[in-house]
Amino acid sequence: MIKKKLFLSAVSLLSILLSSFVIAQEDENDRNVFQLSLEELMNVVITPSRIPRFAENVTQKIDVINSQEIQQTVSGNRNICEVIGKLPGASVTVLSRNDANWGTYGGIGPKYSTYMLQGIPLDAFVDPMSLDLNAIDRIEVQRGPASVFYPNFLSQDFAGNQTPLGGTINLILKEKITKQGTSVSTSFGSYNTLNGQIFHQNHTVRFHYFIGTSYEISDYVNYGTDSSWLNIKKNPAYKKTKLYGGVTYFVDEEEKQKISVFAQETWHDGDKGRVYQQFGNLYGTLNTGYSIIFNDELSMQSHFGVRSYDRAWQESVYGGSDTLKSNAGVNQIIIPVDISLSWAHGKNNVLSIGSDYQNAKYFTWADPLAGYRIYGNKSSATQIGIYAQEEWSPIEQFVLRSGLRFAYIKNVIELSNGFTPSNNNDSWNKLLWSVGTRYSVNKMIALFANAGSSFATPALKSIAGTIPITDLRIVGHDGQLPNSNLKPESGIGTDLGIDVKLMPDLNLSARFFYTNIQDAIVDNVVSQNPSQSQSINTGSSSSIGSEIGLTQRSLDGLAWYLNLTLLKSKTINDLNSDQNNIEIPFSPKEILNAGCSYTFQMGLTVAPSLNYNGGFYDRTSKSSRNWFKPGVTINVFAEQNIITKDSYSLKCFTQLYNITNNDYEMPWQFKNPGFSAMFGLKTSF
């Protein structure tokens, strides 16, 4: 069935191409990306090249989500992944407001599309729960391999190291403030959720800055299935506080040299719905950047960042007794650094060379009520990368891209489940490659193709686990089981697509892709109750799929989108028939997204959205896997202008999540809690 759908999609795209091919080819005037109108800037992206580039001059498929679209997203689980979830190829499975997204990108798993903040990596599982969207100007999403231009992220926690084989998601901060402004909002809704936000931005001479804070508290709700291992007995407490700020200093009047700093601290506290199940998480993010444009041809940029993740929780005796078993936690700090040079030569050619570095430290601890901490796992990892990429345009309509990256990674394991391993360090090096091309048939049609490789080493949590193997299926012993025999994985991703401008504001895009990973490391759900998983190597994992989408942004207040993704994934393990030739966990067969936004003359904006997920399995085992079908989720955002003056405005808004009350089940005995609503006021001055 999936092959038939892919074939029909291909025939439809070919028909569009042939019918449009008769349109005459037209040349465009030379344009300087540093001297553009605001409307033209909407067609400029920086993610594929680290410097501003017109979208028609890059080979990769790029989606840009602007600040208005971000504000109109209904986020039931307070996760940035839900903003990305409307795009083709993304399947979002956020377990709860307290837990990460375990969806998939391109059908190949949750860790094959990285997150970045201003071009340097973040944790794809933690930071979407932490960062505040008010600081974000836009989100650039690159679909397809990005493993040469951008590095892996050395997370040792959750699903481990993350690689941009399936793409990368770049959160672009507000930098140049054109207008002073302050906004204050408050809202109240389901589960006694109270939310308050304050944001201020301004500029003075060459300083542009913003500062903000948000606070949310809630009783929340039981998000476990019947008889779930979560054993929720009361409304879980939930509290999240964010404090953040950023400043950009333009050194000269021409704004060719700038220094930027951004910092955020997030406190996430609460409990899991029963006595002695409290948790307290502290997440810190620091980004600094320096860039300089030497002349019309040469520019340089560098970044330094700090990502700190401190999680602590209580373990209680399973079964309902009010007995504290232990306190436990995870501490992780990751420092990414990079520097790059870009040389614009010829008409549209760019040569980029650069280097990046990461250092990660990770340890787990437990306090069995003895008054001191016992360290379980303790490790460090180092990554060094050197890369070069050339984008060459021999004629205006044609772009060729090629790049190489040398990657070196070293892991040092000091403790594994409390013991020093006999072989406590490993190192690997790998030469990665990436190529791409784009051909503009005319002003309406462009064809593109890309291919690239990736390399990922097993993380400490995957190797050592968080519980010993002797805890297998023992009730109350939840966590990750160890696997000391894991091997590194390597992958290749390819795509082929077409962009068609049907009208000046109506775009059609389609992409076919294939991703293959050898020795793929996947998280296999070993047990639902207790909640246990284990990382394993499969012989290979692959995903083939097609995406087709329509988008329109008109000047009369109407915007809409419609996209469909069809996926077919499988893992091959000839050594184990139970794990051979079955679907990749969390990878659905169909994903459909639709939505629109319209502003009426009376000042009312309405933005409904729909997501359909055709369902997925949770583990690589024919005998014990479970099938989950989220089906349809419908959200609605609405906003009404009450007062609009030159100096201030007042608006009321509502966010309606899952209005059909679809409380579908998810892996690890979680469930969507169903319908929720928020109502609020926002004033700006």
Side-chain angles (χ1 to χ4, degrees):
M1 186 66 181
I2 187 96
K3 291 181 179 178
K4 182 179 179 180
K5 293 179 180 178
L6 291 171
F7 175 76
L8 291 175
S9 299
V11 171
S12 300
L13 292 173
L14 184 59
S15 300
I16 293 169
L17 175 60
L18 292 175
S19 63
S20 306
F21 198 83
V22 296
I23 300 172
Q25 192 169 297
E26 296 182 39
D27 293 331
E28 295 183 87
N29 296 327
D30 292 344
R31 295 176 291 173
N32 185 338
V33 294
F34 299 106
Q35 297 175 347
L36 298 174
S37 67
L38 182 61
E39 183 177 352
E40 288 178 310
L41 279 171
M42 293 302 295
N43 297 315
V44 171
V45 295
I46 65 172
T47 297
S49 300
R50 291 189 182 268
I51 62 171
R53 295 281 279 166
F54 289 105
E56 66 264 27
N57 290 333
V58 299
T59 71
Q60 300 95 329
K61 180 60 184 173
I62 305 292
D63 294 294
V64 179
I65 304 175
N66 60 39
S67 57
Q68 180 180 354
E69 294 171 309
I70 292 172
Q71 293 300 319
Q72 292 178 356
T73 299
V74 178
S75 179
N77 288 295
R78 314 305 192 252
N79 198 302
I80 293 177
C81 292
E82 293 171 295
V83 182
I84 311 301
K86 70 176 187 178
L87 297 177
S91 171
V92 173
T93 310
V94 183
L95 298 178
S96 76
R97 292 183 187 178
N98 295 327
D99 297 274
N101 170 46
W102 284 87
T104 182
Y105 299 90
I108 201 67
K111 64 174 185 175
Y112 295 101
S113 182
T114 56
Y115 273 75
M116 300 188 297
L117 183 65
Q118 213 76 349
I120 52 176
L122 294 165
D123 192 293
F125 294 88
V126 179
D127 288 298
M129 298 190 294
S130 168
L131 292 174
D132 197 289
L133 282 171
N134 282 328
I136 306 301
D137 178 67
R138 67 187 189 278
I139 302 175
E140 295 182 356
V141 181
Q142 175 182 328
R143 303 208 298 274
S147 302
V148 164
F149 218 63
Y150 293 105
N152 291 356
F153 185 69
L154 292 182
S155 174
Q156 306 296 299
D157 207 355
F158 288 93
N161 295 333
Q162 300 149 29
T163 178
L165 178 63
T168 189
I169 298 162
N170 196 1
L171 310 177
I172 309 297
L173 294 165
K174 300 177 189 291
E175 281 195 316
K176 191 170 183 180
I177 308 299
T178 58
K179 183 180 179 181
Q180 183 271 341
T182 301
S183 65
V184 180
S185 69
T186 183
S187 56
F188 181 79
S190 301
Y191 324 131
N192 292 322
T193 301
L194 177 65
N195 180 285
Q197 301 183 43
I198 302 174
F199 180 83
H200 175 74
Q201 66 178 30
N202 201 357
H203 70 277
T204 172
V205 193
R206 298 175 191 166
F207 283 94
H208 297 246
Y209 62 91
F210 63 85
I211 187 170
T213 184
S214 68
Y215 176 79
E216 183 170 89
I217 189 169
S218 175
D219 291 343
Y220 206 22
V221 69
N222 187 341
Y223 48 84
T225 60
D226 294 339
S227 302
S228 168
W229 69 274
L230 293 166
N231 197 26
I232 295 176
K233 294 188 173 183
K234 68 178 187 66
N235 290 339
Y238 167 88
K239 181 173 68 175
K240 188 175 288 186
T241 307
K242 303 177 183 179
L243 179 63
Y244 58 92
V247 60
T248 301
Y249 173 63
F250 293 94
V251 179
D252 49 37
E253 293 183 357
E254 294 80 13
E255 298 183 354
K256 292 186 175 181
Q257 189 175 181
K258 65 181 179 182
I259 301 169
S260 61
V261 178
F262 171 80
Q264 175 167 326
E265 199 80 3
T266 298
W267 295 265
H268 181 191
D269 306 292
D271 64 56
K272 294 182 180 180
R274 65 181 192 264
V275 177
Y276 296 126
Q277 279 286 284
Q278 294 180 356
F279 64 86
N281 303 329
L282 176 62
Y283 306 131
T285 304
L286 173 69
N287 253 48
T288 65
Y290 170 75
S291 65
I292 180 171
I293 302 171
F294 296 107
N295 50 48
D296 291 341
E297 297 178 342
L298 190 63
S299 62
M300 183 199 77
Q301 59 176 296
S302 62
H303 300 92
F304 170 84
V306 178
R307 286 83 170 94
S308 63
Y309 311 98
D310 296 337
R311 299 191 294 120
W313 61 89
Q314 292 179 324
E315 296 282 1
S316 62
V317 175
Y318 187 84
S321 64
D322 299 337
T323 304
L324 178 63
K325 183 169 63 177
S326 67
N327 297 303
V330 168
N331 296 92
Q332 182 172 212
I333 185 167
I334 301 175
I335 299 176
V337 183
D338 71 28
I339 184 169
S340 63
L341 283 169
S342 298
W343 175 40
H345 57 99
K347 192 173 183 180
N348 285 314
N349 307 329
V350 175
L351 172 65
S352 301
I353 59 173
S355 179
D356 43 56
Y357 167 87
Q358 272 184 61
N359 181 263
K361 296 186 182 299
Y362 172 87
F363 65 86
T364 64
W365 58 269
D367 173 11
L369 307 182
Y372 58 89
R373 290 183 176 181
I374 298 174
Y375 292 102
N377 300 333
K378 193 172 185 180
S379 73
S380 63
T382 301
Q383 177 176 269
I384 299 173
I386 302 172
Y387 64 89
Q389 176 175 283
E390 169 71 12
E391 295 173 86
W392 180 53
S393 182
I395 59 174
E396 187 174 0
Q397 299 83 11
F398 189 50
V399 179
L400 286 171
R401 178 184 58 81
S402 62
L404 291 173
R405 167 181 285 268
F406 174 78
Y408 171 82
I409 300 175
K410 182 177 181 179
N411 286 352
V412 177
I413 301 176
E414 299 179 35
L415 290 175
S416 175
N417 276 307
F419 298 95
T420 302
S422 56
N423 181 18
N424 68 341
N425 71 82
D426 284 299
S427 62
W428 304 267
N429 59 77
K430 187 82 170 181
L431 186 65
L432 306 178
W433 56 270
S434 179
V435 294
T437 184
R438 183 182 181 93
Y439 176 61
S440 298
V441 179
N442 49 52
K443 291 186 69 175
M444 293 185 64
I445 303 173
L447 306 173
F448 61 89
N450 299 276
S453 63
S454 74
F455 176 70
T457 59
L460 177 66
K461 183 180 179 183
S462 298
I463 296 173
T466 59
I467 56 176
I469 195 66
T470 53
D471 285 353
L472 177 63
R473 294 189 174 88
I474 297 179
V475 174
H477 293 242
D478 310 306
Q480 177 102 5
L481 296 165
N483 186 349
S484 59
N485 298 317
L486 287 173
K487 297 178 290 186
E489 61 182 31
S490 58
I492 293 178
T494 59
D495 69 8
L496 172 69
I498 180 173
D499 288 325
V500 181
K501 185 170 288 189
L502 300 176
M503 293 191 299
D505 58 357
L506 177 61
N507 298 288
L508 179 145
S509 177
R511 190 174 73 102
F512 299 90
F513 56 89
Y514 174 74
T515 307
N516 180 269
I517 300 173
Q518 298 295 319
D519 297 319
I521 300 172
V522 299
D523 269 359
N524 188 40
V525 179
V526 176
S527 170
Q528 295 277 358
N529 185 9
S531 174
Q532 294 179 348
S533 61
Q534 184 182 47
S535 295
I536 62 171
N537 282 113
T538 62
S540 67
S541 291
S542 63
S543 173
I544 183 172
S546 65
E547 307 165 350
I548 185 166
L550 284 165
T551 59
Q552 184 175 28
R553 293 187 179 100
S554 62
L555 299 178
D556 60 0
L558 173 66
W560 62 273
Y561 64 89
L562 173 67
N563 58 69
L564 171 67
T565 303
L566 303 176
L567 296 168
K568 184 177 182 179
S569 67
K570 66 177 180 179
T571 62
I572 301 296
N573 188 344
D574 295 331
L575 301 178
N576 187 339
S577 60
D578 187 52
Q579 298 178 346
N580 190 38
N581 198 26
I582 60 176
E583 292 84 352
I584 295 174
F586 309 105
S587 179
K589 294 182 178 180
E590 308 95 15
I591 310 166
L592 175 69
N593 293 290
C596 68
S597 172
Y598 185 73
T599 301
F600 298 88
Q601 290 185 348
M602 73 211 43
L604 172 66
T605 298
V606 180
S609 61
L610 177 149
N611 171 265
Y612 170 77
N613 187 308
F616 52 85
Y617 291 100
D618 65 341
R619 64 186 82 181
T620 54
S621 171
K622 296 176 184 177
S623 59
S624 60
R625 62 182 179 172
N626 298 288
W627 171 255
F628 301 92
K629 187 173 183 178
V632 173
T633 303
I634 301 175
N635 306 325
V636 177
F637 171 87
E639 183 179 71
Q640 172 66 57
N641 290 333
I642 300 175
I643 302 174
T644 303
K645 302 289 185 180
D646 291 337
S647 58
Y648 71 94
S649 66
L650 177 65
K651 301 177 180 179
C652 64
F653 63 88
T654 182
Q655 298 175 355
L656 307 178
Y657 173 73
N658 196 355
I659 63 174
T660 60
N661 197 33
N662 179 12
D663 57 347
Y664 57 87
E665 294 186 4
M666 293 184 287
W668 291 291
Q669 298 181 335
F670 284 76
K671 70 174 181 180
N672 187 302
F675 173 74
S676 63
M678 294 291 290
F679 303 91
L681 292 172
K682 180 178 181 180
T683 180
S684 302
F685 51 90

